[in-house]
Amino acid sequence: MVSRVIPVDCFDLVVFGGTGDLARRKILPGLFRRFLAGQIPEDARIIGAARAEIDDTGFRAFVKDAIMEFGGKAAKQTEAVAQFLERLHYVAIDAKGEVGWAALAGLMRDDVVRAFYFSVAPALFGALAERLHQHGIASPESRIVVEKPFGRDLESAQKLNATLALHFTEHQIYRIDHYLGKETVQNLMAVRFANILFEPLWNARHIDHVQITVAETVGVGGRGAYYDKSGAMRDMVQNHLMQLLCLIAMEAPYRFDPDAVRDEKLKVIHALEPVRPDDIVRGQYRGTGKGTAGSYCEDAENPDSRTESYIALKVDIANWRWKGTPFYLRTGKKLRARASEIAIVFKEVPHSIFGEEEGWRENVLSIRLQPNEGMTLSVMIKEPGPGGMRLTEVPLDMSFAEALGEDGTDIPDAYERLIMDVIRGNQTLFMRGDEVEAAWAWTDPIIAGWEARGDKPRGYDPGSSGPEDALMLLHRDGRRWREIRE
Ligand code: NAD
């Protein structure tokens, strides 16, 4: 299968925070790969804007290093790297002061798409929006891309929305959630809405439950003090896991159109039931050695921390389609494998004509986001051979990684796809302001509840599947978690 590349319109993309970690690891190497794929038009320019006092040459050297380190096999194409670097410019700028703004205004061209990527701390979003406006750099068609976290609760998210709304309309604001840019996540919508096969079964009558797992092997490491102020609920569930849940649970939008899709997602968030305290398990990873060495509290530099590095929740959706089918969500750090999966676990057949078969399994549609993006549907078949009617489970593999490239590395990274969507002016895979606020409105009472109760996270061993109590969350309901494995 050869993927088609459709070039986007000519653009000036300003990356505020262009010398930061996210720009270095994801945005700039991603743009290079799009350049290599032929998607970036001849005259398009990428302008780094950050505090570092460097010039175009310094920025090009920085980006070259970033491509060498994070560009994958694309980095070997040295001639293309050199051509790409010519598209780059740099302005030293102060988001909160006057330095650099006149220079940036002077660089911008008319008649091309203007996009501004706010890859800086959220505390600077307001200042950037205001200055872009003051200096006449943003036009009514300009787009801004804002990074996570989008607030830390409903109040701060509302404030942030209101600040951005002073200078930009909703159709100009692209709130990024890179989970939505993953090939598999979009394929989930294709599988659901472009095939007649699944949709009739996609409801509480046929689906027993859904599991969404985002497991990481890393701890909070160098960003412990920052992470300690948020925790897994704010850092992962409110945004990434919530978005995945919405895509599984939403009704068919009337069209694949940004607002039609986001309207349906919003309805799902509104239908989420409050989560009961018994349906929440929070955990903190222990140290590997004696005492607290290597533990979450040590990494967070806070011996008394009650912030969770792991969370599992049972979530109910109060609507006709899903009443009675729980969604179990879990995410955590220092777990046994780096693996993200959505598993749709179907109900058993109403009556087995084969008797009590050992090894009988339900059908499961497994949607893997990482590693090895792809989908597998497990089905029961007859074990081949003359040994009578014995059943066995086989996977119907819908993986597309191999189909798209020798080893799957040709699949565009989520950031690449999303940045190209910004240039195209397509907001389908970006969160709308009301969606983010609704997600916080559901999240806030859950957090307030455990804070009021003084709940302490349970310890779990690094390299495990999380706290024991999380296993019980499913055992209690006669179910079990899927194995966390790469
Ligand atoms: P970083 O600290 O590595 O980089 C910050 C950048 O902002 C630098 O380029 C710096 O020069 C610039 N900057 C700081 N103050 C400035 C000012 N007053 N004026 C102009 N520029 C200024 O941060 P990061 O890790 O790249 O994160 C950037 C944003 O992306 C944050 O909102 C973060 O939450 C979000 N994010 C980062 C990651 C990641 O993996 N790094 C992942 C998801 C989201």
Side-chain angles (χ1 to χ4, degrees):
M1 200 188 305
V2 178
S3 60
R4 257 186 315 153
V5 172
I6 302 165
V8 295
D9 289 341
C10 189
F11 63 84
D12 279 344
L13 169 65
V14 178
V15 183
F16 291 110
T19 59
D21 178 63
L22 183 66
R24 196 169 74 88
R25 285 190 308 110
K26 292 287 182 188
I27 303 172
L28 296 161
L31 283 163
F32 171 60
R33 282 194 296 266
R34 288 297 90 209
F35 171 77
L36 209 53
Q39 202 165 15
I40 295 192
E42 187 102 342
D43 295 332
R45 296 185 312 181
I46 295 148
I47 301 161
R51 254 193 326 200
E53 289 186 6
I54 51 175
D55 55 11
D56 287 358
T57 312
F59 186 56
R60 288 172 184 170
F62 168 84
V63 177
K64 189 175 176 189
D65 283 351
I67 293 172
M68 293 306 147
E69 197 173 350
F70 298 105
K73 63 182 182 187
K76 293 195 188 119
Q77 310 223 20
T78 44
E79 209 170 298
V81 173
Q83 285 166 3
F84 175 71
L85 295 179
E86 284 170 23
R87 313 289 175 91
L88 302 180
H89 301 272
Y90 183 82
V91 182
I93 212 158
D94 181 6
K96 290 179 166 168
E98 292 313 311
V99 173
W101 288 97
L104 182 62
L107 262 183
M108 304 305 292
R109 296 173 295 177
D110 291 329
D111 306 327
V112 299
V113 173
R114 289 184 186 186
F116 304 93
Y117 198 129
F118 291 8
S119 182
V120 295
L124 296 178
F125 291 174
L128 286 179
E130 193 180 329
R131 278 175 178 68
L132 282 173
H133 182 77
Q134 265 176 8
H135 291 271
I137 299 173
S139 69
E141 279 75 43
S142 298
R143 289 132 213 194
I144 58 169
V145 184
V146 292
E147 262 299 335
K148 81 169 221 188
F150 201 88
R152 69 180 316 276
D153 53 20
L154 176 59
E155 193 187 343
S156 52
Q158 282 171 331
K159 268 196 194 147
L160 202 45
N161 274 335
T163 305
L164 296 180
L166 290 175
H167 306 296
F168 294 93
T169 59
E170 185 61 37
H171 82 269
Q172 297 179 282
I173 304 172
Y174 291 70
R175 294 175 196 79
I176 211 160
D177 184 322
H178 67 273
Y179 272 60
L180 293 181
K182 289 184 180 283
E183 183 76 24
T184 329
V185 171
Q186 293 170 68
N187 228 323
L188 172 61
M189 286 191 270
V191 164
R192 276 195 68 189
F193 302 126
N195 297 285
I196 194 73
L197 215 54
F198 290 106
E199 202 48 28
L201 304 179
W202 210 261
N203 55 52
R205 277 181 59 206
H206 301 288
I207 294 178
D208 180 69
H209 71 280
V210 175
Q211 297 185 18
I212 304 178
T213 301
V214 177
E216 295 176 278
T217 49
V218 293
V220 296
R223 56 193 278 268
Y226 160 81
Y227 183 92
D228 203 43
K229 295 194 201 86
S230 93
M233 186 73 183
R234 287 191 171 97
D235 193 46
M236 298 296 292
V237 177
Q238 184 273 345
N239 39 54
H240 305 316
L241 278 80
M242 171 74 79
Q243 289 296 322
L244 300 179
L245 179 148
C246 285
L247 293 179
I248 300 163
M250 72 182 188
E251 298 299 316
Y254 67 89
R255 199 171 345 123
F256 192 61
D257 155 282
D259 277 324
V261 171
R262 296 183 302 174
D263 285 347
E264 294 306 333
K265 282 161 55 193
L266 182 62
K267 286 185 209 161
V268 174
I269 304 175
H270 283 152
L272 295 179
E273 298 267 29
V275 180
R276 297 182 314 127
D278 285 355
D279 291 338
I280 305 167
V281 178
R282 296 192 309 133
Q284 262 181 2
Y285 57 81
R286 300 191 185 102
T288 36
K290 281 194 182 143
T292 58
S295 67
Y296 172 79
C297 287
E298 191 188 73
D299 284 354
E301 299 163 32
N302 179 3
D304 301 319
S305 171
R306 292 194 170 188
T307 303
E308 72 286 354
S309 61
Y310 174 99
I311 189 163
L313 306 148
K314 177 182 175 183
V315 178
D316 291 309
I317 304 174
N319 64 20
W320 278 32
R321 185 186 283 265
W322 295 113
K323 188 73 188 167
T325 293
F327 283 59
Y328 297 98
L329 317 183
R330 66 178 163 167
T331 178
K333 304 215 172 269
K334 283 215 181 173
L335 295 176
R336 59 185 304 172
R338 178 171 172 266
S340 300
E341 185 203 50
I342 302 168
I344 317 287
V345 182
F346 289 89
K347 290 191 170 167
E348 290 184 5
V349 292
H351 163 68
S352 166
I353 63 166
F354 304 106
E356 286 310 305
E357 266 292 332
E358 216 172 285
W360 177 274
R361 291 283 178 83
E362 329 79 345
N363 299 124
V364 178
L365 176 64
S366 157
I367 300 147
R368 284 184 316 280
L369 308 181
Q370 65 187 22
N372 315 321
E373 282 197 60
M375 296 193 199
T376 312
L377 176 66
S378 70
V379 292
M380 299 301 292
I381 60 157
K382 177 190 167 296
E383 199 175 285
M389 184 53 113
R390 287 197 308 271
L391 299 183
T392 186
E393 184 192 11
V394 290
L396 279 183
D397 206 336
M398 295 184 265
S399 300
F400 32 79
E402 284 169 19
L404 284 177
E406 293 157 34
D407 52 3
T409 49
D410 289 346
I411 294 185
D413 177 78
Y415 277 94
E416 297 175 38
R417 181 190 315 274
L418 292 172
I419 295 171
M420 292 299 103
D421 277 359
V422 173
I423 307 298
R424 281 195 209 97
N426 186 340
Q427 289 185 306
T428 311
L429 300 174
F430 295 83
M431 294 178 294
R432 209 169 53 191
D434 52 0
E435 233 184 299
V436 177
E437 290 184 15
W440 281 121
W442 175 78
T443 309
D444 279 0
I446 299 174
I447 297 175
W450 75 56
E451 284 178 352
R453 290 190 299 276
D455 285 356
K456 273 192 187 162
R458 276 73 145 185
Y460 63 94
D461 290 330
S464 69
S465 300
E468 287 285 311
D469 289 11
L471 300 180
M472 291 313 298
L473 190 68
L474 268 77
H475 279 189
R476 211 178 58 184
D477 296 344
R479 300 177 173 118
R480 61 195 150 78
W481 286 111
R482 307 221 342 135
E483 203 183 321
I484 298 178
R485 59 169 179 200
E486 283 188 7

